[in-house]
Amino acid sequence: MTMDPESLRERAAAALLTARDRTRLLTTCVEDPDLIAQHSPLMSPLVWDLAHIGNQEEQWLLRTVGGRDALRPDIDSVYDAFEHPRAERPSLPLLAPAEAHGYVADVRGRVLDILERTPLHGGPLLDSGFAFGMIAQHEQQHDETMLITHQLRVGPVVLTAPEPPAVDDGILPAEALIPGGPFTMGTSTEPWALDNERPAHRRLVHSFLIDTTPVSNGAYQRFIEDGGYDDPRWWAEDGWAHVREHGLRAPLFWRREGHQWLRRRFGVTEPVTPDEPVLHVSWYEADAYARWAGRRLPTEAEWEKAARHDPVGGRAMRYPWGDEDPTPAHANLGQRHLRPAAIGSYPDGQSPLGVRQLIGDVWEWTASDFLPYPGFVAFPYREYSEVFFGSSYKVLRGGSFAVDPVACRGTFRNWDLPVRRQIFSGFRTARDADPAAGA
């Protein structure tokens, strides 16, 4: 994707401003006590995320790209995510809410001036405005983290959004056949792709079938009602131990009331909607459901082939629908809605092989550990990806309704521990195809 310098500048500015509008919404919709509070030991106080966003922007765009003197070097260690675990952050000398808002606004004003004056070429950080795109993605990732905190928060409703668009597209096939053979995985050309998405390389997968849509709440309820949480046959050993230790009986935020399942969603208690993708399940729960259903989770390579492979042109596309940037007709992204859309939605976002909702709605657990691609090079710092590689983390793909398009594409990789449920995670299942279907 090649753009002229002024178009690149406009794209970078728009991405930064869109992220800041969302940050402002998420940090001004509650009073200061809620900004300072830690709503879960799994999450930072909202005011920590706010100032951390500004500190990263200062370090990378003001100091490194702009060559400016540090504004607040005294807070670098306070907002170093690797120096202080989330559970400890409330005890740090954090900026007060008003001071944090002032700090991030001051940084942003200076950054926009630097963006106007900086040539967007001349090295990896500057080429195609990468550093500005990286910071826009970083802010949007923390916006999603803050939205998770809002979901965990107990209190009055402060966030609202319209419902996702309804769709009546008839009965879809349950699964789609993805033919075997090599394909291009990852990217070497996407200008704002992060290091773990690189480089592009050839990968072989055998023919498989994958769910046309993510697994629904209704389907997951059948797993529960069939005793899925009581039967060790379906669970990985560590997952079964985790279920027993924590008494898990359903997805996070669900509760049974009589014959009905209810859930809490951003302060609203409502019936579980059967035709929405299941949300807030761990990798262990996704894996157990897949085994119960006689299927499995797709590998990361299988997921990406289903999402990017063009069987006619034999090429890898940026998104399931092609190379065009996402629009509201393609996918449920950007916190436009505060829930996943019904399964089968977004026909305009369907892949050439007939798979829907691969982008947006829910992050999808895969079977794969988070590992580097062949030829991986850490850039611009090891702590973004490299320190997480290994068997401890599982890969999620596709993005959720809480992900902004700038931080979501067919090559984008997310990862988390297999016990995590507070994230906006769901899944779809797969199975091997008949060998006669292809290589």
Side-chain angles (χ1 to χ4, degrees):
M1 186 174 67
T2 304
M3 300 177 73
D4 63 82
E6 285 314 304
S7 296
L8 270 173
R9 218 176 298 281
E10 290 175 8
R11 181 183 183 222
L16 290 168
L17 293 171
T18 297
R20 186 51 47 86
D21 286 345
R22 187 176 175 197
T23 300
R24 192 176 295 113
L25 168 66
L26 291 165
T27 55
T28 59
C29 63
V30 291
E31 300 296 330
D32 285 0
D34 270 339
L35 286 176
I36 297 167
Q38 185 172 47
H39 298 282
S40 164
L42 296 174
M43 311 303 292
S44 307
L46 291 167
V47 75
W48 185 93
D49 283 294
L50 173 63
H52 170 78
I53 286 168
N55 186 249
Q56 287 292 292
E57 188 167 339
E58 181 193 346
Q59 291 193 50
W60 285 104
L61 299 185
L62 283 192
R63 303 181 200 173
T64 304
V65 171
R68 305 281 182 89
D69 291 338
L71 291 179
R72 294 295 304 267
D74 56 306
I75 64 172
D76 288 355
S77 65
V78 173
Y79 295 102
D80 185 332
F82 290 90
E83 191 170 333
H84 305 288
R86 287 176 175 176
E88 297 177 3
R89 292 172 189 171
S91 64
L92 298 173
L94 304 180
L95 299 184
E99 190 178 8
H101 280 294
Y103 170 61
V104 299
D106 186 12
V107 171
R108 174 53 55 84
R110 296 165 190 258
V111 161
L112 293 177
D113 179 63
I114 287 169
L115 176 59
E116 283 297 313
R117 300 165 183 266
T118 301
L120 301 183
H121 60 80
L125 268 180
L126 292 177
D127 288 348
S128 299
F130 174 83
F132 297 93
M134 176 184 74
I135 289 300
Q137 290 178 82
H138 174 265
E139 182 162 354
Q140 287 285 5
Q141 288 169 324
H142 276 272
D143 287 342
E144 182 176 13
T145 298
M146 288 194 286
L147 190 63
I148 293 169
T149 301
H150 275 282
Q151 168 63 12
L152 289 161
R153 170 186 163 272
V154 176
V157 175
V158 296
L159 295 172
T160 60
E163 295 296 296
V167 62
D168 183 4
D169 209 27
I171 298 175
L172 297 172
E175 56 187 2
L177 174 66
I178 311 300
F183 79 105
T184 300
M185 187 171 183
T187 180
S188 297
T189 58
E190 185 72 31
W192 290 356
L194 303 171
D195 60 2
N196 62 64
E197 301 170 64
R198 300 174 182 270
H201 58 286
R202 297 294 279 173
R203 189 72 68 94
L204 174 68
V205 298
H206 297 289
S207 296
F208 66 100
L209 293 111
I210 192 168
D211 291 337
T212 304
T213 64
V215 170
S216 69
N217 286 325
Y220 198 84
Q221 281 178 244
R222 291 192 286 275
F223 166 67
I224 298 172
E225 290 160 4
D226 195 45
Y229 281 86
D230 299 311
D231 194 333
R233 287 181 299 166
W234 314 129
W235 298 84
E237 184 177 350
D238 289 350
W240 180 245
H242 184 74
V243 164
R244 296 294 94 192
E245 180 182 355
H246 295 278
L248 305 187
R249 307 295 302 170
L252 187 61
F253 306 116
W254 284 32
R255 77 169 193 265
R256 191 73 177 259
E257 194 167 284
H259 297 293
Q260 186 178 41
W261 281 104
L262 303 176
R263 69 173 174 193
R264 181 169 59 82
R265 184 177 61 85
F266 299 108
V268 176
T269 298
E270 61 187 15
V272 169
T273 306
D275 65 350
E276 278 184 16
V278 68
L279 187 63
H280 295 303
V281 290
S282 68
W283 183 89
Y284 288 131
E285 289 168 294
D287 179 62
Y289 172 95
R291 297 188 200 201
W292 168 82
R295 299 170 68 84
R296 58 178 175 79
L297 295 179
T299 66
E300 183 183 12
E302 288 173 335
W303 188 98
E304 187 166 326
K305 184 166 189 181
R308 298 185 63 216
H309 182 62
D310 175 8
V312 176
R315 68 184 186 94
M317 305 179 297
R318 295 179 67 215
Y319 298 97
W321 53 85
D323 295 333
E324 176 188 353
D325 285 340
T327 71
H330 289 126
N332 182 6
L333 293 167
Q335 201 182 311
R336 286 193 306 270
H337 314 292
L338 287 172
R339 66 195 309 153
I343 58 169
S345 296
Y346 298 101
D348 289 352
Q350 178 172 297
S351 78
L353 295 167
V355 189
R356 292 201 183 179
Q357 293 168 282
L358 285 156
I359 300 292
D361 286 310
V362 294
W363 285 107
E364 298 184 16
W365 288 109
T366 72
S368 299
D369 296 337
F370 184 48
L371 299 171
Y373 289 160
F376 167 84
V377 176
F379 176 79
Y381 57 103
R382 290 184 61 247
E383 290 79 9
Y384 181 72
S385 303
E386 189 175 353
V387 297
F388 298 101
F389 289 146
S391 60
S392 296
Y393 292 89
K394 295 294 185 181
V395 174
L396 301 103
R397 286 302 206 104
S400 72
F401 65 88
V403 174
D404 187 81
V406 77
C408 185
R409 48 196 161 262
T411 57
F412 194 93
R413 307 172 76 195
N414 191 8
W415 64 95
D416 215 324
L417 297 169
V419 299
R420 289 289 184 252
R421 309 204 304 162
Q422 83 277 16
I423 60 177
F424 299 116
S425 53
F427 64 100
R428 71 181 73 216
T429 68
R431 66 183 176 95
D432 296 343
D434 186 305

